[in-house]
Amino acid sequence: MDFVIRGAEIADGTGAPRFAAEVGVKDGRVAAIGGRLEGAAVIDAGGLVLAPGFIDMHAHSELAILDDHDHLAKLGQGCTLEVLGQDGLSYAPVDESTAPQMWEAIAAWNGRPDVDYDWRTVGEYLDRLDRGVPVNAAYLVPHGTVRMAAMGWEDRAPTGDELAAMKALVAQGMEEGAFGLSAGLSYTPGMYADTAELVELCGVVARYGGYFGPHQRSYGAGAMEGYAEMIQIAAESGCALHLAHATLNYRVNEGRAAELLKLVDEGLDSGLAISLDTYPYLPGMTMLAALLPSWSLAGGYAALRERLNDPEARARIVHELDVTGTDGANGVPADWSRYEIASVTKPELRGFVGRPVAEAAGARRPAEFYLDLLVRDDFGTGCLMHVGNEENVRAIMRHGVHTGSSDGVLAGDKIHPRAWGSFARYLGHYTRELGLLSVEECVAHLSGRPAAVLGLKDRGLVKEGFAADLVLFDPEAVDARATFDEPRQQAAGVPYVFVNGRTAIEEGRRTDALAGRSVRRREGASSAGRKRGKRLSWPMVDPPPIPVGTGPTDAPEACRGCEDPSPRRRSDKRMRFF
């Protein structure tokens, strides 16, 4: 063996009880699990849990893994695989015209690092990753990027030729190794797509065994209708569905998790392949320009600048922001005290970072200040949105098709701590402190279950023959150190992380290994780990009891109003990934 891990308790990613065994690694694979093993090196893991490396089902690290050698945000908390290309906007496939547009359009998410943007296709981007990156990465074809390539920023249905061009780009991306199609249906230009367009594109994905991972149209006033539309698309296209950051935000959705989970269960009962991911925090984070009404962005940012100089158009935008609620802001009138300026691209604007828009505006009308800030910062401003609901977060994370994610934005002055803390927070706060999940179950949410959603046959479990993506953590000490004031803090209690059999974190410190590579959908493989109509069930592991508390955010509140106090149980008999 290249090395042997001795003395650990193994949480193997299936949700089954932990067991004691030694694990031997050879040539990047788990070569043996059993009794006394011999190796060139021995790691004494007494008291630690050995788990499969965690899989971030929703990440925004496309440029960060090329620019940041250490990538401690993810490696430091045990992540060994990230799924990129999210929310319908990413850096491939592009051409010479759309590449610079994408670079600017999502600068609020990814910044403008010194990275040579020398790829154009999905395959070329994946090839770039294969030169060596900190973690493994999978990719989704981004719908908005594809739409931009076929028809620009037009607010209309595609022509037959434009739809054919989009379908060809999606097919090419799938053939080059993508796992599915993402969508950002509250971001332009993706939000201009109707249901029929998405059904057509998902039909292409279904033929390759991929999945549809949408950021749906609303997480506010129209949340339930938005989720229902996504399930309709899955039913009509035959495509597996993975609901991205499946949250319910704003006061209008407080306590409504049971309604969402009922929609999911009804879809599962009808034979659809559905899964979802969440991050374990209440605030969201996105680009500040995302709050704008979709009509104002038709034609792109150049057209938006013209509209903002037109008094009539500008007044209409302000009215929709403040009074009716825009489609970009989830149909909810803006509460400017809840939208915090998180990052800017212009140094002279950094004094606004960390301040709610209402405060930064001073005596001015916040909506007017907001529009001027966007223009001054070339639309690259990021924001934190304090709109989440703890009751919903806790109920959704216990469901049988739930997986973990960070939705982590790594660029900017004041980023969301979820980028550096999500997986440690699941294990520390929600597992150890609140007892909403057992250690074994939480590990399964973060490893085996997402690997099954992706259809991976050799990752996500501690199992002989599987890739040696592994993490050793202390169940009594693992925790998120990242905070909203200090978001770039390495997680506690994760002393060892291995990527493809190479040590990436050793005794809590980063090594020089760049062992990550692209992970590509295999020809004929079925992402989502299952095909339409094939009913599967997660291992029947009873959840720990919900702890008794007295405060308004204690665990009994998590499922108030649910028909079943543990929504996850309804799916336990339906989805078996192993």
Side-chain angles (χ1 to χ4, degrees):
M1 303 296 170
D2 296 331
F3 62 89
V4 170
I5 300 172
R6 183 170 291 163
E9 285 195 328
I10 299 174
D12 66 2
T14 67
R18 282 174 275 177
F19 61 94
E22 295 188 3
V23 173
V25 173
K26 178 73 173 176
D27 296 332
R29 297 271 163 181
V30 175
I33 302 175
R36 194 74 172 180
L37 302 175
E38 298 299 328
V42 175
I43 296 171
D44 183 0
L48 300 178
V49 172
L50 177 65
F54 304 140
I55 298 174
D56 189 342
M57 286 296 288
H58 192 104
H60 292 280
S61 303
E62 291 97 327
L63 302 183
I65 58 174
L66 297 173
D67 184 56
D68 178 11
H69 172 279
D70 288 341
H71 204 47
L72 280 172
K74 300 302 177 65
L75 280 175
Q77 52 182 322
C79 287
T80 59
L81 171 60
E82 299 183 79
V83 185
L84 310 176
Q86 299 288 353
D87 293 330
L89 294 167
S90 191
Y91 300 95
V94 292
D95 56 27
E96 298 308 310
S97 172
T98 58
Q101 294 181 61
M102 285 310 309
W103 191 261
E104 294 304 316
I106 50 178
W109 291 346
N110 299 303
R112 299 181 179 95
D114 186 17
V115 171
D116 187 6
Y117 192 0
D118 59 355
W119 66 87
R120 293 296 178 261
T121 68
V122 171
E124 289 170 349
Y125 175 69
L126 298 178
D127 289 343
R128 177 73 174 274
L129 301 182
D130 286 338
R131 300 180 197 172
V133 286
V135 298
N136 300 307
Y139 194 78
L140 300 176
V141 180
H143 164 255
T145 305
V146 165
R147 199 177 206 270
M148 190 187 305
M151 55 185 295
W153 297 74
E154 296 295 319
D155 182 2
R156 59 174 174 80
T159 66
D161 288 345
E162 289 166 343
L163 182 59
M166 282 192 275
K167 293 169 76 171
L169 285 171
V170 171
Q172 179 181 344
M174 296 299 294
E175 290 173 359
E176 292 172 345
F179 283 81
L181 177 75
S182 77
L185 302 179
S186 65
Y187 301 123
T188 55
M191 66 196 317
Y192 301 139
D194 60 18
T195 303
E197 175 183 323
L198 296 168
V199 168
E200 286 290 318
L201 297 179
C202 286
V204 175
V205 174
R207 290 197 291 274
Y208 287 93
Y211 71 88
F212 179 43
H215 169 125
Q216 55 112 337
R217 296 189 194 277
S218 174
Y219 295 89
M224 294 305 171
E225 294 82 358
Y227 283 121
E229 181 193 10
M230 299 305 102
I231 294 172
Q232 175 190 347
I233 290 167
E236 293 185 13
S237 67
C239 189
L241 174 65
H242 181 80
L243 297 169
H245 41 53
T247 58
L248 289 163
N249 294 329
Y250 303 92
R251 290 190 178 95
V252 69
N253 286 318
E254 288 181 359
R256 299 185 69 189
E259 296 177 50
L260 168 58
L261 299 179
K262 182 179 179 182
L263 284 176
V264 170
D265 285 331
E266 288 173 349
L268 291 166
D269 288 337
S270 71
L272 300 180
I274 305 176
S275 53
L276 54 85
D277 67 69
T278 66
Y279 51 83
Y281 291 87
L282 300 189
M285 186 175 190
T286 189
M287 60 187 82
L288 197 59
L291 305 177
L292 292 166
S294 59
W295 64 264
S296 69
L297 279 156
Y301 285 121
L304 172 61
R305 287 181 185 274
E306 294 181 5
R307 293 186 181 104
L308 293 178
N309 288 325
D310 177 349
E312 185 176 341
R314 186 182 180 102
R316 180 184 170 190
I317 293 171
V318 169
H319 178 80
E320 290 190 23
L321 286 166
D322 284 347
V323 180
T324 63
T326 71
D327 47 5
N330 298 286
V332 177
D335 181 346
W336 297 109
S337 66
R338 290 176 175 263
Y339 299 145
E340 179 184 351
I341 300 166
S343 64
V344 294
T345 62
K346 300 293 183 65
E348 63 268 24
L349 300 174
R350 284 181 179 157
F352 295 127
V353 171
R355 301 168 66 184
V357 173
E359 176 188 310
R364 297 189 62 196
R365 183 171 182 171
E368 292 284 359
F369 166 82
Y370 158 79
L371 295 177
D372 288 343
L373 176 62
L374 291 180
V375 172
R376 291 175 64 189
D377 202 28
D378 289 333
F379 306 101
T381 315
C383 73
L384 286 163
M385 305 171 68
H386 298 273
V387 296
N389 179 264
E390 180 73 10
E391 184 177 339
N392 292 335
V393 168
R394 296 191 191 189
I396 294 168
M397 75 168 61
R398 291 170 61 84
H399 194 275
V401 297
H402 171 268
T403 65
S405 69
S406 71
D407 196 10
V409 171
L410 297 168
D413 299 287
K414 185 179 181 183
I415 64 172
H416 197 303
R418 66 192 184 191
W420 287 70
S422 286
F423 297 86
R425 183 169 168 82
Y426 266 121
L427 288 163
H429 180 63
Y430 286 102
T431 296
R432 181 181 62 251
E433 295 176 5
L434 297 184
L436 293 183
L437 303 167
S438 69
V439 169
E440 295 89 343
E441 187 178 27
C442 186
V443 166
H445 282 240
L446 306 182
S447 59
R449 197 178 297 185
V453 171
L454 290 165
L456 301 178
K457 304 300 183 184
D458 63 349
R459 295 179 193 270
L461 302 178
V462 181
K463 184 175 180 180
E464 289 184 6
F466 274 48
D469 292 342
L470 303 167
V471 56
L472 279 166
F473 67 89
D474 182 347
E476 299 303 318
V478 62
D479 210 355
R481 287 178 173 153
T483 66
F484 285 96
D485 290 332
E486 296 289 340
R488 291 181 171 90
Q489 302 296 315
Q490 184 177 343
V494 185
Y496 284 89
V497 180
F498 308 91
V499 179
N500 292 320
R502 293 185 62 189
T503 307
I505 300 288
E506 183 174 19
E507 296 182 352
R509 294 186 294 273
R510 181 72 168 95
T511 71
D512 62 359
L514 288 175
R517 299 293 186 269
S518 70
V519 176
R520 309 190 192 209
R521 186 196 59 81
R522 295 175 180 173
E523 186 66 29
S526 175
S527 294
R530 57 207 189 270
K531 295 181 179 178
R532 175 179 167 85
K534 184 178 180 182
R535 184 162 299 202
L536 306 163
S537 62
W538 186 248
M540 295 179 65
V541 179
D542 286 335
I546 298 177
V548 176
T550 57
T553 61
D554 284 321
E557 299 289 327
C559 298
R560 178 175 291 174
C562 298
E563 297 175 359
D564 183 336
S566 178
R568 178 176 54 79
R569 288 189 179 183
R570 290 196 296 273
S571 294
D572 282 345
K573 298 179 180 179
R574 184 181 298 109
M575 299 193 63
R576 181 171 298 281
F577 290 147
F578 309 108

